[in-house]
Amino acid sequence: MSSVKKIYGIKTTDKETLRRWYYLLYLGRCLDEKAPSYLLQSIGWQFHASNAGHDGIQLAIGQIFQRGKDHLFLYYRDLLAALSAGMTVEEMILNGISKATDPTSGGRHMSDHYAKVEWGIHNISSCVAAHDSQAVGLARALDYYGVDGVAIASHGESSASEGYVFEAINGAARERLPVIFVLQGNGYGISVPTHEQTANPRVGQNYAGIRHLKVLFCNGKDVFDSMNTMEAAREYAVKHRTPVVVTADCVRIGAHSNSDKHTLYRSEEELQRAQAADPLPKFRRMLLRYQRFTEEELQAIEAEAREELKVANRNALKAPDPTADTVMEYVIGEAYPGDKYGTGIPDGSGEKLTLVQALNKTLKQEFRHNPDTFLWGQDVANKDKGGVFNVTKGMLQEFGNKRIFNAPIAEDYIVGTANGMSRFSDKIRIVIEGAEFSDYFWPAMEQFVNSTHDFWRSNGQYSPNITIRLSTGGYIQGGLYHSQSVEGVLTTFPGARVVYPCFSDDAAGLLRTAMRSRGVTVFLEPKAQYNSAESASVIPEDFEVPFGKARIRREGTDATLITYGNTLHFALNVAERIQKDLGKSIEVIDLRSLVPWDEETVYASIRKTSKALIVHEDRVFGGFGAELAASIAKKAFRDLDAPIFRVGALSTPVGFHKCFELTTLPSEDKIYAAAKELIEY
């Protein structure tokens, strides 16, 4: 980088640069004004948020973006920023009218969301500012792999009220990462004025006390002030490897979007003032006043831009529409086959490992197998400790604090930065402890949901390759936030696999498969079994378990008991008791994998036994067993000789006192009673 910083001004900037800027500003405005016409003609562009009044800062964002080094995370109002960064008008119209050739998503994402993944312009969700922590994760990759670039996250100032924005800025400063957070302030968050959104009049002031953070302010309506500020921000972030917050003062000339009627909350006088502050005619007048261009030259530039828009419009309208038969494509990334042992059932002998030992050993093996594997979370990287349950013990010492490190107590940030770092390269695999206990995972749901539809939303261009480890379940007398079950919720999201092993061999095999797969895998670990002798198993070397393959733990002919997790041991004991007491045999199926689940094995068993009992620790109402029951009722109804029975927790939280836990959760006696009733039906 040159040691002499370039200062832009109307008198000093070369004419070709001024021409390019004016061309982009004018072309962007033409497109911005044309966008609503597509909706009026029922062609598309159902959502449009005008960028008029943000012209200076958006031009600057795109101009300082260095393709091949930098990464852009733009928000829905960043039309000009995308155009300035190099996207063509045709590409942007393809997005607006949701064509199959739309480079952002192939028509899967809503209009006004611009991306070009191969350039580092990232596909983000509509959850405004959620991409801040993703930009931090991307910057973490830039730092680790030694790339001399920055990650730029742009959005409005009102979305900075979200707690995850602070998490991202605080985290980037703590880790000293090259991120530029651009907060475009136009005085409103839809209809809510800024003074009702933030403690300080200029939102960047909210972060002024954070160490290792540079806070800059600029006039986002002015091209030169915006360019100088963004140049300074990038130079500082690259040189010092620390984040920068840029607050750009803009003006919202129009409504929030095409679905907003701003005359209901803005006076005529205010709207006139906003119109008078329009950056485009101001820049045009300046070019004339300082005799950098003649009127004829500017008119020629404008005519050229209008012609480009005309041609782009004609071409985009001819582009193919997406087809409904592709709707199930790209739901989740490709799974590692995990079929080294076929059904995933070990047959060796040797030393038994507990669940904790198996997880720890497999993590270390996989980190040696793939040097582009990383792990972080709460309390996972300390000298003699590895998390609350010591699952990651010894990993810091072997792999170092660039690959194994502690995260703040900020679950959204933990998942969001995993999503962002994964974007840097498809070879990267990330394991996170999403929360020390699954009950604490809920603050991360916003990022979890985003991650589950990233692959689909990007039309297969980006897969977040993340394994989310969560210790879950009860039977430890942990009470609320330490004993609840969460799979009933997490299995409802397309785009995430959910596995729930109980025995240590299955845990090792499924963890290996998860860490070698593309896409998001939720890896649930029954904490009550971490050190239990009954879950300990012999684990063959490099053992693999495929997704979606159940394991018959006990064969039987009189009833099928389907279960997973902690209740598996109860089920096996019940099957033994039923055999002794009634002389009947129960087939016990350990699902191991919930999404996908092994329908073939379950239906084959029911054809043999004609009766089904579903048991899980989670609540019966709304639990995962309800989906199993519905599927069995539809696809195996003719094989049933009795109703489908279910045993699970009561519809109440798991309380702290032992009496509450024992009453709420399934027990061996409760399962025995249900099994006996079913067999005698």
Side-chain angles (χ1 to χ4, degrees):
M1 183 188 297
S2 172
S3 60
V4 179
K5 177 187 164 192
K6 184 171 183 179
I7 303 296
Y8 295 102
I10 184 65
K11 295 181 179 180
T12 58
T13 304
D14 65 271
K15 187 170 181 177
E16 181 55 37
T17 298
L18 291 173
R19 185 191 189 283
R20 182 175 72 251
W21 289 356
Y22 184 66
Y23 185 85
L24 289 168
L25 288 165
Y26 188 81
L27 179 61
R29 183 61 63 88
C30 289
L31 180 59
D32 182 60
E33 293 176 347
K34 183 173 178 57
S37 69
Y38 292 98
L39 178 60
L40 292 175
Q41 299 175 72
S42 299
I43 296 174
W45 224 312
Q46 288 89 341
F47 172 80
H48 178 61
S50 172
N51 69 284
H54 294 236
D55 309 61
I57 190 62
Q58 292 195 13
L59 178 73
I61 290 171
Q63 290 298 289
I64 67 122
F65 169 67
Q66 295 189 18
R67 196 185 310 168
K69 289 186 175 182
D70 298 343
H71 292 260
L72 268 180
F73 294 77
L74 302 175
Y75 85 125
Y76 57 76
R77 204 181 296 280
D78 271 329
L79 179 151
L80 181 56
L83 190 66
S84 179
M87 291 189 70
T88 67
V89 178
E90 183 176 336
E91 289 172 331
M92 300 177 75
I93 296 174
L94 291 170
N95 169 263
I97 60 178
S98 305
K99 290 294 187 175
T101 49
D102 157 38
T104 296
S105 69
R108 294 168 179 242
H109 203 6
M110 70 187 302
S111 49
D112 272 19
H113 290 68
Y114 306 107
K116 198 158 186 176
V117 174
E118 67 267 30
W119 284 7
I121 304 176
H122 291 268
N123 183 304
I124 66 167
S125 81
S126 301
C127 192
V128 185
H131 53 277
D132 279 17
S133 59
Q134 296 170 8
V136 176
L138 198 290
R140 188 182 286 160
L142 294 176
D143 184 65
Y144 180 83
Y145 290 100
V147 178
D148 191 26
V150 297
I152 305 169
S154 171
H155 54 82
E157 91 275 34
S158 293
S159 52
S161 299
E162 294 282 4
Y164 46 72
V165 174
F166 173 80
E167 291 181 17
I169 295 173
N170 175 67
R174 185 189 68 83
E175 296 185 49
R176 302 194 65 169
L177 296 173
V179 189
I180 303 174
F181 302 94
V182 183
L183 312 180
Q184 301 180 38
N186 60 28
Y188 286 96
I190 309 182
S191 66
V192 181
T194 298
H195 71 268
E196 295 182 20
Q197 291 275 3
T198 179
N200 286 290
R202 304 176 86 184
V203 69
Q205 295 170 323
N206 292 344
Y207 313 105
I210 298 178
R211 189 184 180 195
H212 303 310
L213 177 70
K214 187 76 169 177
V215 179
L216 300 175
F217 301 90
C218 72
N219 179 357
K221 303 180 292 295
D222 183 87
V223 169
F224 301 108
D225 193 27
S226 296
M227 280 298 306
N228 289 328
T229 303
M230 288 303 296
E231 284 273 17
R234 189 183 185 282
E235 179 181 4
Y236 189 91
V238 170
K239 180 179 180 180
H240 297 280
R241 311 308 289 174
T242 53
V244 181
V245 168
V246 174
T247 297
D249 296 325
C250 306
V251 61
R252 205 182 78 194
I253 295 173
H256 166 71
S257 70
N258 55 359
S259 60
D260 172 46
K261 189 175 182 180
H262 63 163
T263 55
L264 296 176
Y265 55 89
R266 301 176 77 183
S267 68
E268 183 61 34
E269 293 75 18
E270 180 189 345
L271 293 176
Q272 290 176 1
R273 289 195 301 272
Q275 192 68 49
D278 191 339
L280 179 59
K282 177 183 177 182
F283 187 67
R284 191 183 195 280
R285 290 192 299 268
M286 190 181 299
L287 294 174
L288 292 171
R289 184 185 312 124
Y290 287 93
Q291 299 181 352
R292 304 306 306 273
F293 290 86
T294 65
E295 177 65 32
E296 291 74 21
E297 286 175 320
L298 292 182
Q299 288 181 5
I301 293 171
E302 292 163 358
E304 182 183 345
R306 289 194 298 269
E307 180 62 23
E308 180 177 344
L309 177 59
K310 181 179 178 181
V311 173
N313 173 68
R314 184 166 59 244
N315 291 340
L317 290 176
K318 295 177 183 177
D321 293 318
T323 56
D325 61 346
T326 64
V327 70
M328 292 303 294
E329 294 179 3
Y330 309 125
V331 173
I332 193 167
E334 181 183 5
Y336 178 73
D339 58 0
K340 184 174 180 180
Y341 289 87
T343 59
I345 300 176
D347 55 4
S349 60
E351 180 188 4
K352 287 187 175 183
L353 298 182
T354 64
L355 192 61
V356 163
Q357 291 171 331
L359 293 171
N360 181 269
K361 180 178 179 180
T362 306
L363 284 169
K364 291 176 179 176
Q365 289 174 335
E366 289 305 298
F367 267 71
R368 296 173 196 132
H369 171 76
N370 180 6
D372 296 293
T373 307
F374 303 84
L375 183 148
W376 62 81
Q378 298 167 21
D379 202 34
V380 299
N382 290 288
K383 182 178 179 182
D384 296 313
K385 183 182 179 184
V388 173
F389 303 103
N390 281 324
V391 174
T392 59
K393 186 175 182 178
M395 295 191 70
L396 173 64
Q397 291 87 334
E398 181 173 351
F399 303 107
N401 62 6
K402 288 292 186 179
R403 295 180 65 191
I404 312 290
F405 51 90
N406 289 321
I409 301 178
E411 292 80 11
D412 188 272
Y413 179 79
I414 291 171
V415 179
T417 54
N419 181 302
M421 191 171 188
S422 180
R423 290 169 182 263
F424 182 78
S425 171
D426 196 56
K427 66 183 179 180
I428 291 175
R429 294 295 184 271
I430 297 173
V431 181
I432 54 175
E433 286 201 9
E436 288 190 311
F437 295 84
S438 65
D439 319 48
Y440 289 99
F441 188 64
W442 305 124
M445 286 301 290
E446 169 264 335
Q447 283 293 342
F448 173 72
V449 173
N450 286 339
S451 296
T452 63
H453 53 59
D454 264 315
F455 191 54
W456 191 91
R457 190 183 67 234
S458 68
N459 204 26
Q461 296 180 86
Y462 163 62
S463 170
N465 302 324
I466 307 167
T467 299
I468 304 174
R469 291 184 44 247
L470 293 171
S471 63
T472 193
Y475 302 104
I476 63 167
Q477 200 178 344
L480 280 76
Y481 288 98
H482 297 87
S483 293
Q484 317 304 311
S485 295
V486 298
E487 73 272 13
V489 174
L490 299 181
T491 52
T492 64
F493 292 94
R497 304 180 187 92
V498 182
V499 298
Y500 200 160
C502 178
F503 282 84
S504 59
D505 53 352
D506 289 340
L510 283 168
L511 183 58
R512 176 167 286 107
T513 300
M515 292 176 66
R516 295 188 181 186
S517 294
R518 301 181 74 223
V520 178
T521 301
V522 179
F523 194 91
L524 297 173
E525 303 166 9
K527 66 178 81 73
Q529 304 301 324
Y530 272 141
N531 294 296
S532 74
E534 60 184 353
S535 285
S537 309
V538 175
I539 307 172
E541 200 65 25
D542 298 324
F543 183 53
E544 299 172 355
V545 174
F547 293 127
K549 183 63 181 178
R551 182 169 174 178
I552 298 176
R553 289 284 176 181
R554 181 187 176 105
E555 294 192 359
T557 57
D558 297 303
T560 297
L561 195 159
I562 309 150
T563 188
Y564 55 88
N566 283 318
T567 52
L568 173 59
H569 294 296
F570 294 152
L572 291 171
N573 292 339
V574 165
E576 184 69 23
R577 288 174 58 186
I578 290 289
Q579 183 74 50
K580 291 179 180 179
D581 296 348
L582 305 179
K584 301 291 185 180
S585 63
I586 294 178
E587 185 148 290
V588 179
I589 297 177
D590 177 7
L591 284 181
R592 303 189 295 188
S593 175
L594 308 187
V595 180
W597 65 280
D598 188 350
E599 297 186 60
E600 180 182 350
T601 294
V602 170
Y603 299 151
S605 178
I606 292 173
R607 282 195 295 272
K608 179 172 57 173
T609 68
S610 300
K611 294 180 178 180
L613 169 60
I614 300 168
V615 178
H616 55 58
E617 184 180 347
D618 200 1
R619 287 178 287 276
V620 173
F621 185 86
F624 182 69
E627 176 61 33
L628 297 177
S631 297
I632 292 169
K634 179 179 180 180
K635 297 184 179 181
F637 179 78
R638 290 179 176 83
D639 298 312
L640 292 171
D641 288 341
I644 302 167
F645 279 35
R646 288 190 288 156
V647 176
L650 301 177
S651 290
T652 180
V654 181
F656 187 64
H657 192 280
K658 194 170 185 177
C659 74
F660 290 134
E661 182 178 77
L662 292 176
T663 301
T664 302
L665 296 179
S667 65
E668 186 177 315
D669 287 343
K670 293 176 185 177
I671 299 169
Y672 180 90
K676 184 174 182 294
E677 182 182 356
L678 176 62
I679 285 174
E680 294 176 344
Y681 185 87

